[in-house]
């Protein structure tokens, strides 16, 4: 036996030796699929079944492809494996399309557009088609095109029912125009790489046969995450030799929201009659209790092939399920548990906190900063470093401190309001000349004609908005004020209209920011707190706790895993349930399964009885997933250690149908502050609007300029003229070649010096 068989268990050996015909390697979490994969590839080369260029190996990342090549080379004892067709679907499809580009109207040197270029092109076409971009944003329409391409649909294969009234009934025409324009540019987007290959294969039997003969063996990793176009591409290529080995786990299919079809793996045996199915069920990662809890949970899904993970060794700790009073108590509990583990010598790098949404990281980050616990956020910036949070904070900073020029620059044209670089340069010039802040310069500029009328109107609305919000700040609770600002500025609407994958998460983060504000007595206190937190956000070495979303954790493992926020509506996520029903519920359950199986030694699930949602408190009940954890593998805990009077009552299997009664409880300081804010009054949205025109010139900063009525002057934009009126620094000038205009003295020079 070759050396790579050493250490393989019997099912892994079967997977390595079953080289011919269709094979499904159903590999559960932590069952050593990578070892089996590399051994199988080495076996193909060692037996002479195929040369490197005759193997098509599809991985889901380029990094995985590189690592696979290196491992196989190491097993074979050679420097490297050359000539392999190994990489992601897009990389391999691009390689084929470079050869066959002429068949779809492209040249071989075609360009692959990045997402920004795709969006820019779609915006041009939306305008050309006369489509209302406010009702039908280009980003939304582009996402529709991407989903059609994921399903392998070219424009003439999209049904009228699929298109419906999208883009005012013009969606099919828009899709066709988009594809035509890409060809004119000798370009394609990422979806085209597979779509064009499908077109080539379906239109030319000779071309398809050539690739079928070349690729004698095909191997696909993470098959449960393939979309329809990828599935069709594989089926066509595998139809020749039928030597297709797909590796995956139906229980870890968690990317349905981006087009993945779990049905691809579920019907493998129907698609490839006579297929060999090898189940890798021996887990090398987790303890029996963790596996038992995860297996009991996922057994509630109906759409699965079924397998039972098992492991040898001691039972280990049961999965702990902790009920807590609120999110603040949950973060404190997790922090104390981590500190206790650290005192026992547990490496922080082997601890992870896996949350359902990115917005949930905020309370944990703030707790860790306050106790000095090193951490890192994987898969995205830390909470207060996120773009939408920085933007919102800039608005709030400018309300609290109107002289904050950096904050003004950040939100000057966010959301877009027609204020470009030229307008900002005008304000910068005025700021320097007058010795004032940018906001004060903006107040001056809206009363003159230095800016174009459209820019001046937009700037006037912005200034009026800030003066209104500054007045409201004394009468409106600061969390409510933040909501008003985000709504009236158009910032919330900007993300509501954004149809990118990230947009819903950004909106959730903004809601979490509102909740964070309610924990402080004043806006100034909150902003000071954020400044201190940001100052502390420096990596403090390699030994750090990892904070990430459950989606980002797939493929990783840690000794200790915390799984907070297991509450109905939060996890399973209500939006997933509303949009896709039972299918969404089962994917959420698979996500919970993925979270549990990331843990090697211990898993701690927690939920809160109360959550602050959109600035107000709401009672929460434990997730149905809590109730689905088998009692034999679970240790339940209440919050009595933290709140003497708090109690939780569960009944049923592990927790008997869920949360019933918490008895007498004690309010947290944050909740008390929120309640006081609600009781403080309702003044807010009715605050009077301030009229800029009613303000006197005397209320604004002035500078002695020395100009007098009748003096000849020169203006860079309007040319020569004579001063007809002087109102402080605001001068009315009758220009030689245009109407009389009000301008600031800072933009004028005496006529004799103009030359």
């Amino acid at each position: 036996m070759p050396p790579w068989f050493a250490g393989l268990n019997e099912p892994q050996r079967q997977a390595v030796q079953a080289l011919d015909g269709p094979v499904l390697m159903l590999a559960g979490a932590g069952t050593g699929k990578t070892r089996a994969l590399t051994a199988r590839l080495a076996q193909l080369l060692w037996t002479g079944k195929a040369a490197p260029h005759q193997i098509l190996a599809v991985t889901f990342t380029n990094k995985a492809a590189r690592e696979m090549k290196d491992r196989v080379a190491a097993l074979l004892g050679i420097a490297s494996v050359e000539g392999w067709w190994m990489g992601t679907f897009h990389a391999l499809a691009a390689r084929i399309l470079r050869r066959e580009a002429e068949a779809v109207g492209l040249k071989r040197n075609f360009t692959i557009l990045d997402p920004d270029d795709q969006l820019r092109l779609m915006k041009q076409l939306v305008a050309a088609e006369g489509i209302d971009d406010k009702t039908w944003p280009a980003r939304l329409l582009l996402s529709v095109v991407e989903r059609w391409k994921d399903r392998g649909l070219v424009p003439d294969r999209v049904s009228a029912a699929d298109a419906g009234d999208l883009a005012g009934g013009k969606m099919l025409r828009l899709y066709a125009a988009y594809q035509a324009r890409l060809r004119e540019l000798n370009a394609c987007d990422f979806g085209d790489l597979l779509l064009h290959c499908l077109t080539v294969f379906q239109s030319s039997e000779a071309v398809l046969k050539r690739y079928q003969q070349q690729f004698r063996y095909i191997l696909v990793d993470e098959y449960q995450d393939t979309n329809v176009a990828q599935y069709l591409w594989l089926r066509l290529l595998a139809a020749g030799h039928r030597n297709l080995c797909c590796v995956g786990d139906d229980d870890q299919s968690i990317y349905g929201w981006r087009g993945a079809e779990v049905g691809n793996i579920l019907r493998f045996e129907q698609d490839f009659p006579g297929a060999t199915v090898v189940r890798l069920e021996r887990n090398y990662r987790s303890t029996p209790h963790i596996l038992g809890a995860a297996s009991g949970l996922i057994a509630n899904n109906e759409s699965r092939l079924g397998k039972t993970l098992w492991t040898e060794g001691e039972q280990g700790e049961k999965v702990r399920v902790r009920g807590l009073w609120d999110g603040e108590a949950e973060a404190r509990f997790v922090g104390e548990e981590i500190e206790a583990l650290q005192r026992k010598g547990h490496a922080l790098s082997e601890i992870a906190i896996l949350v359902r949404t990115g917005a949930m990281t905020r309370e944990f980050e703030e707790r860790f900063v306050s106790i000095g616990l090193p951490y890192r956020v994987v898969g995205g910036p830390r909470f207060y470093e996120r773009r939408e949070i920085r933007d919102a904070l800039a608005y709030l900073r400018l309300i609290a401190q109107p002289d904050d020029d950096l904050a003004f620059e950040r939100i000057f044209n966010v959301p877009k309001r027609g204020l470009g670089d030229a307008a900002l340069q005008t304000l910068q010039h005025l700021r320097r000349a007058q010795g004032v802040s940018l906001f004060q310069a903006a107040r001056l500029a809206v009363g003159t004609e230095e800016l174009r009328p459209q820019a001046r109107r937009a700037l006037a609305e912005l200034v009026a908005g800030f003066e209104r919000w500054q007045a409201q700040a004394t009468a409106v609770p600061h969390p409510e004020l933040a909501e008003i600002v985000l709504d009236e500025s158009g910032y919330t609407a900007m993300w509501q209209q954004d149809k990118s994958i990230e947009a819903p998460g950004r909106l959730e983060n903004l809601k979490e920011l509102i909740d964070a504000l309610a924990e402080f007595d004043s806006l100034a206190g909150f902003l000071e707190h954020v400044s201190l937190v940001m100052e502390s956000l420096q990596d403090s070495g390699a030994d750090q706790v990892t904070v990430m979303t459950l989606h980002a954790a797939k493929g990783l493992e840690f000794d200790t895993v915390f799984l907070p926020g297991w509450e109905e509506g939060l996890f399973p996520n209500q939006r997933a349930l509303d949009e896709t029903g039972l299918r969404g519920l089962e994917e959420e359950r698979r996500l919970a399964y993925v979270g549990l199986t990331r843990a090697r030694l211990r898993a701690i699930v927690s939920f809160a009885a109360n959550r602050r949602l959109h600035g107000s408190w709401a009672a929460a009940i434990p997730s149905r997933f809590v109730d689905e954890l088998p009692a034999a593998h679970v240790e339940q805990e209440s919050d009595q250690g933290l709140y003497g009077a708090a109690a939780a009552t569960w009944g049923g299997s592990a927790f008997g149908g869920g949360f019933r009664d918490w008895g007498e409880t004690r309010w947290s300081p944050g909740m008390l502050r929120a309640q006081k804010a609600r009781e403080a009054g309702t003044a807010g949205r009715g605050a009077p609007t301030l009229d800029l025109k009613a303000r006197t010139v005397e209320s604004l900063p002035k500078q002695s300029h020395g100009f007098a009525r009748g003096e000849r002057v020169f203006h860079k934009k309007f040319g020569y003229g004579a001063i007809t009126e002087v109102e402080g620094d605001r001068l009315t000038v009758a220009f030689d070649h245009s109407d009389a205009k009000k301008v600031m003295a800072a933009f004028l020079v005496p006529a004799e010096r103009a030359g």
Side-chain angles (χ1 to χ4, degrees):
M1 296 289 272
W4 44 85
F5 278 88
L8 295 181
N9 60 38
E10 186 54 34
Q12 288 173 329
R13 290 190 179 199
Q14 291 176 18
V16 171
Q17 291 177 312
L19 297 179
D20 297 321
V23 176
L24 175 61
M25 195 188 304
L26 198 60
T31 55
K33 71 161 186 175
T34 302
R35 179 185 296 179
L37 275 175
T38 52
R40 181 183 173 88
L41 288 169
Q43 185 77 357
L44 280 171
L45 297 174
W46 183 73
T47 58
K49 288 276 188 179
H53 73 279
Q54 294 174 316
I55 299 173
L56 182 72
V58 186
T59 60
F60 256 73
T61 66
N62 290 312
K63 179 183 177 183
R66 291 192 298 270
E67 290 176 351
M68 191 73 70
K69 286 180 182 179
D70 293 341
R71 289 181 181 184
V72 173
L75 287 177
L76 294 171
I78 58 179
S80 64
V81 180
E82 300 296 336
W84 268 28
W85 282 68
M86 177 177 279
T88 64
F89 276 104
H90 288 123
L92 294 169
R95 191 170 170 184
I96 291 175
L97 192 58
R98 292 288 180 195
R99 296 179 170 185
E100 315 298 337
E102 288 84 355
V104 289
L106 296 172
K107 299 175 183 176
R108 293 191 176 190
N109 65 341
F110 63 81
T111 301
I112 302 173
L113 298 187
D114 63 28
D116 286 344
D117 289 334
Q118 295 171 38
L119 182 58
R120 190 176 301 110
L121 174 57
M122 182 60 76
K123 285 180 177 178
Q124 294 171 2
L125 295 173
V126 166
E129 291 288 341
I131 298 169
D132 181 3
D133 63 346
K134 288 187 169 51
T135 305
W136 301 104
R139 193 181 297 276
L140 166 64
L141 301 180
L142 182 60
S143 70
V144 172
V145 169
E146 290 170 345
R147 293 289 78 80
W148 283 341
K149 291 185 178 185
D150 286 345
R151 292 162 55 194
L153 299 174
V154 293
D156 59 4
R157 292 193 179 182
V158 178
S159 68
D162 261 349
D165 64 349
L166 287 167
K170 299 178 180 179
M171 192 64 218
L172 288 179
R173 193 165 73 199
L174 183 66
Y175 183 14
Y178 178 77
Q179 293 301 92
R181 183 63 179 138
L182 284 173
R183 285 189 173 87
E184 290 173 6
L185 295 170
N186 191 36
C188 62
D189 61 21
F190 286 100
D192 284 330
L193 297 174
L194 281 158
L195 194 66
H196 286 332
C197 279
L198 289 176
T199 300
V200 171
F201 292 162
Q202 291 166 344
S203 61
S204 175
E205 186 176 344
V207 173
L208 175 59
K209 190 172 183 179
R210 187 169 75 248
Y211 285 103
Q212 288 174 339
Q213 290 174 340
Q214 176 181 342
F215 300 131
R216 300 184 61 184
Y217 291 88
I218 300 174
L219 186 147
V220 188
D221 193 11
E222 305 288 1
Y223 187 60
Q224 79 279 349
D225 293 329
T226 53
N227 60 36
V228 174
Q230 293 163 346
Y231 162 81
L232 294 172
W233 187 78
L234 289 168
R235 284 205 63 177
L236 286 169
L237 288 173
H241 294 283
R242 294 184 79 245
N243 295 328
L244 172 66
C245 176
C246 290
V247 185
D249 182 2
D250 53 324
D251 291 334
Q252 295 189 72
S253 179
I254 59 175
Y255 297 116
W257 47 275
R258 68 183 190 195
E261 290 284 346
V262 68
N264 292 349
I265 193 170
L266 295 178
R267 61 171 184 268
F268 185 86
E269 291 180 270
Q270 299 172 29
D271 291 337
F272 301 97
T276 299
V277 179
V278 180
R279 283 175 165 79
L280 303 187
E281 297 176 307
R282 181 179 179 182
N283 180 279
Y284 293 93
R285 175 187 300 156
S286 305
T287 64
H289 274 314
I290 293 172
L291 291 182
S295 297
L297 173 69
I298 200 63
N300 288 277
N301 270 8
E302 296 178 5
S303 301
R304 61 188 299 259
L305 296 171
K307 58 185 175 302
T308 303
L309 298 187
W310 61 277
T311 188
E312 296 179 345
E314 298 180 1
Q315 287 288 334
E317 299 179 16
K318 289 186 176 183
V319 174
R320 294 168 57 193
V321 178
R322 182 66 173 254
L324 296 125
W325 172 234
D326 61 10
E328 184 180 320
E330 186 177 49
R332 184 164 54 251
F333 162 72
V334 171
E336 289 171 354
E337 289 288 312
I338 292 175
E339 287 183 313
L341 289 169
Q342 189 181 27
R343 285 193 294 270
K344 295 177 182 178
H346 196 307
L348 295 182
S349 59
E350 287 297 338
I351 300 175
I353 300 168
L354 309 183
V355 297
R356 175 59 183 85
T357 66
M360 291 175 61
T361 69
R362 197 266 308 172
E363 285 182 309
F364 295 101
E365 290 188 55
E366 293 200 351
R367 181 61 185 168
F368 295 165
V369 168
S370 69
I371 64 177
L373 188 69
Y375 74 95
R376 62 183 183 128
V377 176
V378 174
R382 305 188 196 211
F383 184 80
Y384 289 113
E385 294 174 328
R386 292 166 183 164
R387 170 186 168 186
E388 63 277 11
I389 300 302
R390 284 183 176 270
D391 289 344
L393 288 174
Y395 274 99
L396 297 177
R397 283 164 46 196
L398 204 57
I399 291 170
Q401 177 47 266
D403 293 337
D404 190 333
D405 285 354
L406 292 177
F408 184 88
E409 287 186 23
R410 184 175 185 91
I411 55 83
F412 176 66
N413 197 37
V414 178
K416 291 188 183 302
R417 48 177 63 93
L419 296 171
D421 292 341
L424 184 58
Q425 288 172 7
T426 297
L427 296 186
Q428 293 281 18
H429 178 88
L430 191 54
R431 176 189 66 81
R432 291 189 295 269
Q434 297 289 105
V436 297
S437 68
L438 279 175
F439 181 70
Q440 290 172 316
R443 288 171 58 191
L444 291 168
V446 297
T448 68
E449 298 177 71
E450 306 292 345
L451 300 174
R452 293 179 295 103
Q454 181 181 353
R456 191 163 66 248
R457 285 193 298 271
L459 186 61
E461 289 178 10
L462 180 64
V463 171
F466 271 106
E467 297 203 337
R468 183 171 66 254
W469 301 327
Q470 287 162 4
Q472 289 174 318
T474 61
V476 178
H478 49 286
E480 184 180 343
L481 176 67
E483 288 187 273
I484 293 171
V485 171
L486 293 176
D487 288 344
E488 293 184 355
S489 67
Y491 193 78
T492 300
M494 179 184 81
W495 289 117
Q496 288 172 336
Q497 294 167 8
D498 189 300
K499 301 304 176 183
S500 65
I501 291 175
E502 297 83 10
R506 295 190 191 278
L507 288 168
E508 288 180 1
N509 291 338
L510 291 173
K511 293 171 185 174
E512 180 64 22
L513 179 67
I514 303 299
D515 293 344
L517 275 159
E519 296 178 7
F520 292 82
D521 294 323
S522 66
L523 177 59
F526 172 72
L527 292 174
E528 181 178 342
H529 164 77
V530 172
S531 298
L532 295 174
V533 169
M534 294 295 287
E535 187 179 6
S536 302
L537 293 184
Q538 301 295 328
D539 290 344
S540 54
D543 196 29
Q544 302 171 326
V545 174
T546 297
V547 183
M548 65 172 69
T549 65
L550 285 157
H551 284 101
K554 189 168 178 290
L556 304 177
E557 57 186 72
F558 303 87
D559 283 348
T560 299
V561 170
F562 290 89
L563 298 160
W566 280 39
E567 297 140 35
E568 281 297 305
L570 188 57
F571 190 40
N573 183 272
Q574 191 61 47
R575 188 171 66 246
L577 302 186
D578 292 342
E579 293 177 356
T580 52
L582 178 61
R583 180 178 174 182
L585 172 61
E586 294 208 339
E587 181 156 320
E588 290 287 294
R589 190 177 282 116
R590 291 194 292 268
L591 196 55
Y593 172 84
V594 166
L596 285 168
T597 54
R598 298 310 94 197
R600 286 192 286 255
L601 301 178
R602 61 186 62 82
I604 300 100
V605 173
S606 60
F607 60 87
N610 300 277
R611 284 282 176 192
R612 191 195 301 275
L613 298 172
H614 311 165
S616 59
W617 287 94
I621 62 172
S623 166
R624 68 191 74 189
F625 300 155
V626 170
D627 204 42
E628 291 171 358
L629 296 173
H633 301 292
V634 171
E635 178 183 339
Q636 65 184 54
E637 302 175 358
S638 72
D639 198 17
Q640 294 179 14
L642 295 176
Y643 296 93
T649 303
W650 298 277
S653 56
F655 298 98
F659 170 87
R660 290 208 302 271
D661 178 32
W662 277 81
E664 295 182 7
T665 53
R666 198 165 70 200
W667 287 60
S668 69
M671 290 183 68
L672 286 172
R673 284 194 293 270
Q675 180 64 16
K676 288 178 182 176
R678 286 197 294 273
E679 295 171 352
T682 57
R685 298 180 187 272
T689 301
L690 301 180
D691 186 356
L692 277 176
K693 295 180 180 177
R695 292 184 174 274
T696 62
V697 176
E698 284 71 29
S699 68
L700 301 173
K702 295 183 181 143
Q703 174 178 306
S704 177
H705 49 71
F707 289 115
R709 183 179 298 179
E711 184 174 352
R712 292 281 294 173
V713 292
F714 177 78
H715 188 283
K716 186 175 182 181
K717 180 178 179 181
F718 303 121
Y720 291 94
I723 298 173
T724 59
E725 288 185 42
V726 178
E727 299 177 83
D729 286 317
R730 228 178 258 177
L731 312 181
T732 300
V733 179
F735 289 101
D736 297 347
H737 301 291
S738 66
D739 297 335
K741 298 184 184 297
K742 283 191 175 183
V743 296
M744 295 300 299
F747 293 96
L748 298 173
V749 295
E752 62 270 18
R753 287 170 44 197

